[in-house]
Amino acid sequence: QDIKINYYVQEYFSKWGESGTVDLKYELEHLIILTASRCLLGREVREKLFDDVSALFHDLDNGMQPISVLFPYLPIPAHKRRDRARARLAEIFATIIKSRKASGQSEEDMLQCFIDSKYKNGRPTTEGEVTGLLIAALFAGQHTSSITSTWTGAYMLRFKQYFAEAVEEQKDVMKRHGDKIDHDILAEMDVLYRCIKEALRLHPPLIMLLRQSHSDFTVTTKEGKEYDIPKGHIVATSPSFANRLPHIYKNPDSYDPDRFSPGREEDKAAGAFSYISFGGGRHGCLGEPFAYLQIKAIWTHLLRNFEFELVSPFPENDWNAMVVGIKGEVMVNYKRRKLVVDN
């Protein structure tokens, strides 16, 4: 997947001119849907059906509104378009699945993993289940990654010392590996990793995480107060609140990627769940490694090939959607350049 992502990132930004002004939020939204869908949905979608599938996902996306939580089948236009898009996607993937099974061919992609999967009792997944899993996988990463990519850029351009540190890190990496990029090389980029993680701490896209208790248990707070949680009840936690607790994070409202550096590691101050932007426990986000892979690959390319200047006001949260996004445009001036590594 790292090779595919790097290819699509380079292909996307090759269309930019030598200099100009762009809406970073708009560009990264389109790039993330491109990389995620082409990596996760299979060769057939990449080669023949990408535009069709992308448009259908757009209709699905617009059908996920706050009112959808309480009234998921309310007969409003957005829900009708959502349901038509879901039915059409089911047809497309059913055709692809049948074609693969008939030909006996096997691909190295997420679609093939879902096709080959079986339940504990040995029953294979159905075409409808495979379609649902693919939709869930793409939805899980599309918004969160594009939002976090944009916040990462906005903060590095506002606090330029971190942008400069990330550039220097790229130079160090390039001294060792040249222009090569793969999963292991991306994993070496600790400065960039901390910049992403801190942006995500301050702006987690999911405002609330929900779990159902499978047994009676008791929770004791930091102050010593006890709460009894009955079996079957829903427990909610808010990453936006938890990620800014002052007894865990020093100056919690400030952008400080170094809080995650060795010797500080504030994300471990109160145990395993001090940092919950990706949830935690058995149902922690399985897409966390893929998210960091995407965002690191994108910003590695941008840091190596462009200079930027944030020209619009620093963005604000958009609280009007199910996934907390970014309000308005994030306009940046860019100038193409090639990062030079000193000998």
Side-chain angles (χ1 to χ4, degrees), residues 141-155:
Q142 174 196 349
H143 287 299
T144 52
S145 293
S146 66
I147 291 166
T148 302
S149 296
T150 306
W151 279 121
T152 298
Y155 273 109

Side-chain angles (χ1 to χ4, degrees), residues 301-321:
H301 182 81
L302 293 176
L303 289 165
R304 292 184 180 188
N305 292 279
F306 296 94
E307 295 175 355
F308 291 100
E309 178 188 8
L310 181 65
V311 294
S312 61
F314 191 77
E316 299 177 359
N317 280 325
D318 181 0
W319 300 101
N320 293 318

Side-chain angles (χ1 to χ4, degrees), residues 123-136:
R123 178 177 76 78
T125 50
T126 66
E127 293 167 3
E129 289 168 342
V130 170
T131 300
L133 288 167
L134 286 169
I135 291 172

Side-chain angles (χ1 to χ4, degrees), residues 130-288:
V130 170
T131 300
L133 288 167
L134 286 169
I135 291 172
L138 188 59
F139 259 77
Q142 174 196 349
H143 287 299
T144 52
S145 293
S146 66
I147 291 166
T148 302
S149 296
T150 306
W151 279 121
T152 298
Y155 273 109
M156 287 197 298
L157 293 175
R158 184 182 189 183
F159 300 98
K160 296 183 179 180
Q161 69 268 31
Y162 296 113
F163 190 93
E165 288 179 18
V167 169
E168 287 303 310
E169 179 178 60
Q170 291 299 320
K171 290 181 179 180
D172 291 340
V173 171
M174 292 172 70
K175 285 180 182 178
R176 295 192 299 274
H177 304 290
D179 291 332
K180 182 182 177 183
I181 291 292
D182 61 23
H183 179 274
D184 292 337
I185 294 171
L186 290 171
E188 295 180 17
M189 300 175 187
D190 194 52
V191 173
L192 182 55
Y193 169 75
R194 294 199 301 267
C195 288
I196 298 168
K197 187 169 183 174
E198 177 69 342
L200 189 56
R201 180 188 71 85
L202 290 169
H203 301 280
L206 300 181
I207 193 65
M208 190 170 292
L209 305 176
L210 304 175
R211 298 289 186 270
Q212 185 179 48
S213 62
H214 287 195
S215 61
D216 297 337
F217 67 97
T218 300
V219 173
T220 303
T221 69
K222 177 175 173 287
E223 293 76 21
K225 189 172 183 179
E226 291 188 350
Y227 291 91
D228 294 325
I229 312 298
K231 178 181 178 180
H233 279 219
I234 299 295
V235 179
T237 185
S238 171
S240 295
F241 180 80
N243 285 351
R244 297 187 186 226
L245 290 171
H247 68 276
I248 297 177
Y249 297 103
K250 183 180 179 181
N251 299 321
D253 295 329
S254 64
Y255 180 76
D256 181 9
D258 292 335
R259 69 174 75 249
F260 303 118
S261 60
R264 289 183 64 180
E265 297 181 321
E266 294 179 9
D267 55 319
K268 299 177 183 178
F273 303 116
S274 301
Y275 182 91
I276 59 169
S277 292
F278 284 97
R282 180 180 294 179
H283 296 289
C285 178
L286 294 176
E288 181 177 356

